[in-house]
Amino acid sequence: MLHFFYKRITMRKTLTMLLPLLSLLAYAQQSETIPLNDGWQFTQMNSDQWYEAEVPGSVQRDLVRHGLLPDPYYGTNEEQVQWVEDENWDFKKTFSVSAAQLQHDEALLLFEGLDTQAEVFLNGSRILRSQNMFVGHEVSVKNLLKEGENKLHIRFYSPIVTMMPARTTFGYDYPAGNDHREEKLSIYNRKAPYHFGWDWGIRIVQMGIWKPISLHFYNDARIEEYYVKQLSVTKEKAEVEYQIAIHSLGVSDATLTYGYLLNGKMLKSEQKEVHLAEGVNNLSIPATITDPQRWMPVNWGEQHLYDFFVTVKRGDRLITEKQVRTGLRTVRLVQEPDEHGRSFYFEVNGIPLFAKGANYIPGEIFTTQQDEAYYEKIFDQITDANMNFVRVWGGGIYEDEEFYRQADERGILVWQDFIFGCVPYPSDDAFLANVREEALYNIKRLRNHPSLAFWCGNNEIDEALNHWGWDKQFPDEVMESWFEGYDKTFRELLPSLVEELDGTRSYIHGSPYDANWGNPEKFASSDVHDWGLWYGHLPFEAMADRLPRFASEFGFQSFPEMKTIRSFAPEEQWALESEVMQVHQKASTGNSLIKKYMDMYYPEPKSFEDFVYVGLVMQGNGMEESVEAMRRGRPYCMGALYWQINDDWPVVSWSSIDYYGNWKAQHYRMRDVLSPLALGVDEKEGVLHYYTLSDLLTDRDELTLTVQVIDFSKGIQKEFREKVNATANASTIVKSYTLTDLVKEKEKKHTLIHAFLSDSDGEVISRKDHFFYWPNRLELPETMVKSSIQYADGEYRVLLSSKKLAKDLFLEIPIQGARFSDNFIDLLPGEQRTIIIRSPELRAVDKTPVTVKHMQEIF
Ligand code: NHV
């Protein structure tokens, strides 16, 4: 699959490189790229039992594939895969080179990513020592290659054993609470922190070739870099600078041709004679694009993408070329003093944007399983939930090109952390030199993506140094060195590289900027990771009264639904504190917090299965309440990025989608509350205020707000209709009702206020159900939900109806990743709803059972 993926990518790149004016033949002779991902073998060092390896991949992934390690997700198997991290591993392959290929002026071996402590040997020479999984390498091997068979060997050293002496000589263990081994060595390795475990993460400290390897032959010169730097972009014109780095093997004159296409149509092509010196030639060419078709975030317009090209020719002969796809836009983080404190919002093309979205973690512990289909799927989930922003969080990885390409095409903005989180890191010269190389490589790799909104130094390190009590565990000189190291890394090194190599994007030293959830007085001037909900035991309702300027993290745990639990736990383990469930709950206070909140809001569920179901509903409804409050709170609050959208293995966590792609209740509720035009409601001092929450850039008028007072058993008691307008890009109160006009105090336990917004064609745009209490104080009626199913291949249609309210109705089907048009719904008295279930695995003849449960039934 991955081999296939890589071949497709290279083919696509090669095809798009063929500009209309060029002939394929001329280029083929000039340069040639050979993928070297096939035919690898690996072994434990000092053993001669070699196994076939999949590249890109990892030792642990291959060992599982060969049945030499058990499925790490199942039962308590995590423990059984741990020994691998203490061993060294060898990879080898041979490849053949022809006499014609050797005729090229230069040959480069390209390693896009080696994880992590690696030495590379080619035909008897050590050609590379690599110590950072986030850095790609180009090694000149012209003089080492032979006609015929060539031998490549990579030795991966245990990142644990390699860095153990650093720990010994430092004398302390870093406070890396998420690193699930006694000796905290994650911080010494520039390697994905989440590989070492996390509070939702299995620990698999992998080693291996995690990105493609190829061999590149070329003549004369090669374009190493092409950055289309956007100096300013308005509706009228875009000022850009083409920054081109050409590595020339000799001294020569050449013709540079450059310009751009839009939708395959050549709009501009210019020429310039250049003199190339031997070595790297940095060229910088200003250009103006008039009437640019600007790239817009989703719902604000189209995501226009230009293809910028540059070619180097000598006479008619093409020497080298490169193409960059990017969109023209401005994105700015606005942090300016105002009457409350200091703003924190993003302005895109000059317009303030309310950031709606989530924190993203790598979606696979076996990182290389993230193939093209994976990225498409996660972005479908992002888009389907009406998000416009996603944060690539600092405990994971700098993501694959495909991630940003999806974001570019869908109009999703990306908040990019540098990969540091939750713990101080060393800051000695050698370590910082390594970080420098990593930042250089990744800023250059990602800077052409229009979706990339800004850079953030790290996750929570400043907050941790100041608020996590380490000053009581470590001597002053250690604390001081960490504070100094923080400044060197995140206030000096990284921002200077962002300025030099990007020069267009905002940077902050870390997130949160300077707030801490335990000290709300800073909420008025910073982004906040508001863990008052969950860690701080605050009720969901409390979030509305402590809005930050931008919520960059907040979240609530749930168990994944039973079909996912069944995939790793046999029935006798279905208990909160069973051995298997504890391996799949990495947060030490997780179960007790879920129970505590459930006691606040729900009667006690009778069984483990019901506990799982109620927990899902609680997470969904509670998080909806928090997110809606943030959205209502604009322009004071300008972002809601909840923690976390996804999982990297089947586990209990804060995610809104489980590892197998099943939407939890939260993901449906996020979709509703983040809708471009959503209805919101706020009950305050005896008044119900209805809001339109709009991200659209135009006003919507001629809308109707319908408000119904519904008795759980008897149905509609009162109905009101109002003509309303939804103001563009704003949250506005459109109608308020005094509660005593709607419902008597004693009726509140069995009454809900159902409201919906519809357009002039009667099409419902958004609906909102308001209950006066959580279920433990409601009188939910007994009711029989009628369901009938139409079975078709790939699609089941479930028709549901109930005479009385069926609250939080959950449809279940034993097929992983099946998609429901809706789920965890409130089926109103007398209402009929059709829910469509889709999965390629659904077959009409199977009549796969669909089960239905709702809240009243389980108590
Ligand atoms: O615990 C959930 C998530 C983490 O997975 C992730 O690292 O950045 N979480 C919680 C916090 N930040 C994050 C907040 N941290 C604390 C809370 C309470 C006390 C100390 C730290 C994410």
Side-chain angles (χ1 to χ4, degrees):
M1 180 71 196
L2 276 165
H3 298 273
F4 174 66
F5 166 41
Y6 184 60
K7 275 177 200 141
R8 272 185 55 192
I9 289 277
T10 31
M11 206 158 88
R12 190 172 63 204
K13 276 188 185 152
T14 316
L15 287 178
T16 52
M17 284 196 313
L18 297 177
L19 300 168
L21 29 153
L22 309 170
S23 101
L24 173 60
L25 205 60
Y27 194 71
Q29 290 164 346
Q30 181 67 20
S31 77
E32 186 178 352
T33 301
I34 306 160
L36 295 183
N37 303 312
D38 292 338
W40 284 91
Q41 292 188 299
F42 79 107
T43 185
Q44 192 170 340
M45 193 179 90
N46 296 333
S47 151
D48 49 13
Q49 177 72 54
W50 291 85
Y51 295 94
E52 163 267 333
E54 202 168 274
V55 170
S58 75
V59 168
Q60 286 90 333
R61 190 180 164 211
D62 276 332
L63 291 173
V64 171
R65 230 169 26 86
H66 287 294
L68 299 166
L69 283 180
D71 169 7
Y73 304 163
Y74 192 78
T76 57
N77 286 351
E78 178 181 6
E79 195 187 327
Q80 291 178 48
V81 307
Q82 296 307 313
W83 62 270
V84 182
E85 68 181 42
D86 288 312
E87 304 300 325
N88 302 330
W89 299 87
D90 285 338
F91 281 68
K92 70 175 183 188
K93 118 169 218 92
T94 58
F95 60 94
S96 113
V97 171
S98 69
Q101 286 168 333
L102 284 178
Q103 292 298 310
H104 285 91
D105 296 342
E106 176 62 297
L108 293 177
L109 262 178
L110 308 176
F111 302 91
E112 291 182 41
L114 300 173
D115 182 9
T116 287
Q117 304 291 350
E119 280 183 327
V120 185
F121 300 85
L122 175 68
N123 298 335
S125 291
R126 190 176 85 157
I127 58 167
L128 178 65
R129 167 79 177 96
S130 168
Q131 47 168 346
N132 189 328
M133 82 181 267
F134 304 124
V135 178
H137 299 276
E138 301 178 356
V139 187
S140 167
V141 291
K142 163 87 177 153
N143 298 330
L144 294 174
L145 289 177
K146 300 188 291 199
E147 188 180 339
E149 192 181 78
N150 289 265
K151 289 186 179 163
L152 194 55
H153 190 119
I154 308 182
R155 174 160 291 178
F156 288 95
Y157 292 98
S158 156
I160 302 299
V161 176
T162 305
M163 295 316 291
M164 198 64 87
R167 170 180 183 263
T168 318
T169 52
F170 181 57
Y172 299 93
D173 266 313
Y174 275 67
N178 293 303
D179 177 335
H180 293 163
R181 180 169 168 152
E182 200 186 321
E183 303 93 346
K184 308 297 183 193
L185 297 162
S186 48
I187 47 105
Y188 296 111
N189 287 285
R190 289 310 300 150
K191 170 168 173 60
Y194 85 106
H195 283 179
F196 296 82
W198 212 265
D199 60 0
W200 36 258
I202 187 173
R203 177 185 178 99
I204 305 185
V205 181
Q206 288 157 83
M207 284 156 273
I209 305 166
W210 81 292
K211 296 240 169 175
I213 298 181
S214 57
L215 177 59
H216 183 68
F217 295 101
Y218 71 97
N219 289 326
D220 302 299
R222 175 170 170 264
I223 301 173
E224 286 181 343
E225 287 297 331
Y226 183 18
Y227 178 32
V228 180
K229 183 172 178 178
Q230 301 182 29
L231 305 177
S232 71
V233 180
T234 63
K235 205 160 169 275
E236 290 74 33
K237 64 174 183 175
E239 301 284 0
V240 302
E241 188 175 279
Y242 304 130
Q243 295 189 352
I244 306 158
I246 303 170
H247 192 129
S248 175
L249 298 172
V251 180
S252 68
D253 291 320
T255 309
L256 208 64
T257 309
Y258 52 91
Y260 49 87
L261 298 84
L262 183 64
N263 302 323
K265 203 170 142 222
M266 176 77 74
L267 295 185
K268 186 96 164 194
S269 177
E270 292 176 89
Q271 284 199 345
K272 188 181 168 88
E273 299 306 314
V274 290
H275 178 76
L276 296 178
E278 192 177 329
V280 179
N281 296 261
N282 286 307
L283 309 177
S284 169
I285 304 167
T288 303
I289 298 152
T290 47
D291 298 324
Q293 299 286 307
R294 282 182 299 175
W295 183 94
M296 282 289 189
V298 59
N299 292 319
W300 277 17
E302 286 186 59
Q303 289 74 52
H304 296 288
L305 294 169
Y306 285 77
D307 291 308
F308 289 89
F309 63 87
V310 57
T311 69
V312 178
K313 285 194 280 184
R314 195 165 306 128
D316 280 342
R317 196 158 68 86
L318 176 68
I319 308 286
T320 175
E321 64 180 341
K322 210 172 180 83
Q323 193 158 329
V324 158
R325 175 165 285 194
T326 191
L328 301 169
R329 88 287 174 273
T330 60
V331 189
R332 186 165 77 96
L333 171 63
V334 184
Q335 279 185 291
E336 279 165 6
D338 61 14
E339 70 269 35
H340 312 288
R342 185 176 48 227
S343 67
F344 193 109
Y345 69 92
F346 291 91
E347 195 185 72
V348 185
N349 292 326
I351 306 167
L353 174 121
F354 186 94
K356 306 178 299 182
N359 285 268
Y360 163 88
I361 63 166
E364 294 280 354
I365 181 61
F366 292 128
T367 318
T368 56
Q369 270 164 210
Q370 296 182 177
D371 58 10
E372 197 168 2
Y374 160 86
Y375 287 107
E376 201 170 316
K377 199 164 132 198
I378 185 74
F379 271 90
D380 280 348
Q381 325 263 34
I382 289 169
T383 312
D384 290 350
N386 291 312
M387 300 181 181
N388 59 16
F389 231 103
V390 64
R391 172 174 179 229
V392 177
W393 161 81
I397 56 172
Y398 303 93
E399 264 298 337
D400 191 85
E401 282 293 296
E402 189 61 19
F403 182 96
Y404 306 93
R405 210 181 62 76
Q406 287 280 346
D408 292 348
E409 288 186 355
R410 295 172 189 251
I412 305 295
L413 290 148
V414 179
W415 165 319
Q416 181 70 48
D417 280 359
F418 285 91
I419 303 303
F420 301 87
C422 300
V423 61
Y425 287 79
S427 58
D428 55 82
D429 291 349
F431 189 87
L432 287 186
N434 197 5
V435 169
R436 181 187 176 80
E437 214 188 325
E438 159 188 336
L440 269 163
Y441 181 78
N442 286 289
I443 296 169
K444 284 183 180 175
R445 187 169 70 86
L446 303 181
R447 61 190 173 178
N448 277 314
H449 288 283
S451 57
L452 184 69
F454 101 126
W455 299 97
C456 169
N458 69 78
N459 178 67
E460 292 180 0
I461 301 177
D462 181 56
E463 174 170 18
L465 283 169
N466 287 297
H467 298 283
W468 291 4
W470 295 337
D471 51 342
K472 294 182 196 75
Q473 298 167 39
F474 296 94
D476 289 351
E477 64 269 22
V478 171
M479 287 303 292
E480 269 161 38
S481 76
W482 284 341
F483 275 107
E484 274 170 30
Y486 187 90
D487 288 348
K488 271 201 241 171
T489 312
F490 303 112
R491 296 188 208 269
E492 290 161 31
L493 177 65
L494 294 179
S496 72
L497 291 172
V498 167
E499 179 54 33
E500 178 189 335
L501 302 163
D502 178 322
T504 68
R505 289 180 179 87
S506 309
Y507 170 92
I508 61 171
H509 65 92
S511 177
Y513 183 73
D514 66 1
N516 160 251
W517 62 265
N519 299 281
E521 59 280 3
K522 286 279 187 70
F523 280 30
S525 58
S526 177
D527 71 317
V528 179
H529 297 188
D530 191 359
W531 289 97
L533 174 71
W534 188 254
Y535 287 107
H537 301 206
L538 293 176
F540 290 112
E541 302 83 273
M543 297 295 271
D545 299 324
R546 45 187 274 136
L547 291 184
R549 304 310 295 266
F550 191 107
S552 34
E553 277 189 20
F554 56 103
F556 196 90
Q557 272 205 346
S558 69
F559 282 55
E561 66 175 275
M562 283 309 298
K563 71 180 164 203
T564 293
I565 292 176
R566 278 187 211 106
S567 77
F568 63 76
E571 193 168 344
E572 68 272 14
Q573 291 283 332
W574 294 356
L576 276 190
E577 305 303 332
S578 76
E579 211 188 347
V580 169
M581 288 312 300
Q582 285 197 10
V583 170
H584 292 79
Q585 164 61 288
K586 300 294 190 191
S588 54
T589 54
N591 289 347
S592 66
L593 278 168
I594 295 176
K595 274 206 288 207
K596 180 173 173 144
Y597 277 90
M598 217 179 267
D599 284 348
M600 276 159 69
Y601 297 127
Y602 291 88
E604 197 180 336
K606 291 191 291 276
S607 66
F608 178 75
E609 285 118 300
D610 287 345
F611 172 86
V612 169
Y613 157 70
V614 175
L616 285 162
V617 169
M618 174 166 69
Q619 181 200 28
N621 292 346
M623 285 296 286
E624 179 184 15
E625 194 164 324
S626 307
V627 173
E628 194 195 304
M630 290 163 187
R631 229 188 141 182
R632 283 196 312 262
R634 77 174 288 178
Y636 177 84
C637 174
M638 284 300 281
L641 307 182
Y642 67 85
W643 184 267
Q644 71 205 65
I645 184 171
N646 57 336
D647 284 332
D648 74 333
W649 74 305
V651 69
V652 180
S653 83
W654 298 262
S655 71
S656 63
I657 308 170
D658 78 20
Y659 176 67
Y660 294 108
N662 303 304
W663 286 25
K664 294 178 173 179
Q666 191 189 336
H667 211 70
Y668 295 97
R669 298 296 77 81
M670 294 298 103
R671 176 200 60 186
D672 299 343
V673 71
L674 298 180
S675 162
L677 177 51
L679 192 58
V681 65
D682 190 15
E683 184 186 330
K684 246 195 182 126
E685 289 150 12
V687 183
L688 269 194
H689 300 288
Y690 280 95
Y691 284 70
T692 51
L693 310 171
S694 174
D695 293 322
L696 305 172
L697 292 186
T698 47
D699 292 344
R700 290 284 304 266
D701 43 23
E702 301 283 312
L703 300 175
T704 304
L705 170 68
T706 306
V707 174
Q708 297 171 336
V709 179
I710 296 181
D711 179 273
F712 294 173
S713 302
K714 293 182 282 189
I716 300 173
Q717 305 295 299
K718 289 181 188 166
E719 180 173 293
F720 307 87
R721 273 170 204 267
E722 298 292 333
K723 285 266 170 268
V724 298
N725 300 331
T727 308
N729 210 26
S731 297
T732 325
I733 297 180
V734 288
K735 180 72 194 166
S736 300
Y737 297 90
T738 306
L739 271 178
T740 46
D741 294 343
L742 303 182
V743 62
K744 295 199 185 77
E745 195 58 36
K746 64 178 193 321
E747 294 167 339
K748 284 184 176 173
K749 287 189 166 212
H750 50 82
T751 304
L752 76 126
I753 312 296
H754 173 65
F756 55 94
L757 195 64
S758 45
D759 65 16
S760 50
D761 298 328
E763 198 75 39
V764 174
I765 298 169
S766 177
R767 59 181 266 173
K768 186 88 229 166
D769 292 330
H770 179 74
F771 290 87
F772 295 100
Y773 304 108
W774 283 82
N776 59 355
R777 297 184 60 197
L778 292 177
E779 289 163 4
L780 295 175
E782 272 182 43
T783 185
M784 261 285 292
V785 175
K786 279 203 221 151
S787 66
S788 65
I789 305 178
Q790 288 170 10
Y791 299 97
D793 288 343
E795 182 179 299
Y796 288 5
R797 299 176 80 85
V798 187
L799 183 67
L800 296 162
S801 64
S802 170
K803 283 203 178 122
K804 300 178 181 177
L805 171 72
K807 191 165 170 21
D808 304 308
L809 182 145
F810 173 37
L811 293 184
E812 230 176 330
I813 196 162
I815 289 180
Q816 292 293 11
R819 288 290 296 272
F820 295 72
S821 59
D822 209 345
N823 212 339
F824 301 94
I825 59 166
D826 294 332
L827 189 62
L828 302 180
E831 190 186 18
Q832 284 206 347
R833 288 276 281 274
T834 302
I835 293 202
I836 301 165
I837 310 175
R838 291 206 174 92
S839 163
E841 287 169 49
L842 282 174
R843 298 195 320 152
V845 291
D846 292 345
K847 299 202 167 159
T848 307
V850 177
T851 50
V852 180
K853 70 162 80 167
H854 61 90
M855 195 50 78
Q856 186 278 331
E857 277 179 344
I858 65 153
F859 300 120

